[in-house]
Amino acid sequence: QVQLVESGGGSVQAGGSLTLSCAASGRISSFNNMGWHRQAAGTERESVAMITSGGVTNYLDSVKGRFTISRDYAKNTVYLQMNSLKPEDTAVYYCYHQDFRNWPSFRDYWGQGIQVTVSS
């Protein structure tokens, strides 16, 4: 099992910045992806950013150039630096850990979600 604990959410005005953190603990494989999804009220969950164990990143088009995902391998922690925030970034953000130790099978673990609110 892998446990994920998110922190860093909150409220900010448009144009502001926030950094989300997600610390993983438990049986962590070195072969994994970590990332963030978000879900705004009345919408489906969407993938925001992802980083592989090799450091390859991928972003939702609407956040490219504004958000940066990174990870601290020693701390098993992934970060999402969010700059130039817009009201449409308002959502609950969910951290995930994708375990590939039994490739090609994989298992997803999710955090509890953290609210980000951007006011205009």
Side-chain angles (χ1 to χ4, degrees):
Q1 291 288 338
V2 175
Q3 294 79 42
L4 302 173
V5 178
E6 300 143 330
S7 60
S11 297
V12 65
Q13 290 192 326
S17 299
L18 284 174
T19 300
L20 304 182
S21 300
C22 175
S25 62
R27 295 185 65 238
I28 298 169
S29 167
S30 59
F31 188 27
N32 64 75
N33 294 340
M34 292 190 74
W36 297 87
H37 282 208
R38 70 185 181 188
Q39 187 168 20
T43 69
E44 293 188 354
R45 191 176 293 194
E46 62 182 356
S47 176
V48 177
M50 181 273 290
I51 185 167
T52 70
S53 50
V56 177
T57 59
N58 193 24
Y59 295 93
L60 180 68
D61 283 345
S62 62
V63 309
K64 286 179 180 177
R66 300 189 298 121
F67 291 11
T68 302
I69 190 169
S70 61
R71 59 191 299 176
D72 184 326
Y73 294 90
K75 295 181 179 179
N76 292 315
T77 299
V78 65
Y79 304 95
L80 186 66
Q81 173 67 45
M82 305 184 292
N83 299 326
S84 302
L85 282 161
K86 304 176 180 180
E88 51 264 43
D89 295 318
T90 296
V92 178
Y93 285 69
Y94 297 90
C95 172
Y96 72 90
H97 176 96
Q98 198 165 51
D99 188 330
F100 289 99
R101 74 182 72 201
N102 295 317
W103 175 266
S105 299
F106 64 91
R107 182 171 180 177
D108 289 339
Y109 297 90
W110 292 91
Q112 76 280 7
I114 192 164
Q115 179 69 46
V116 171
T117 302
V118 185
S119 58
S120 58

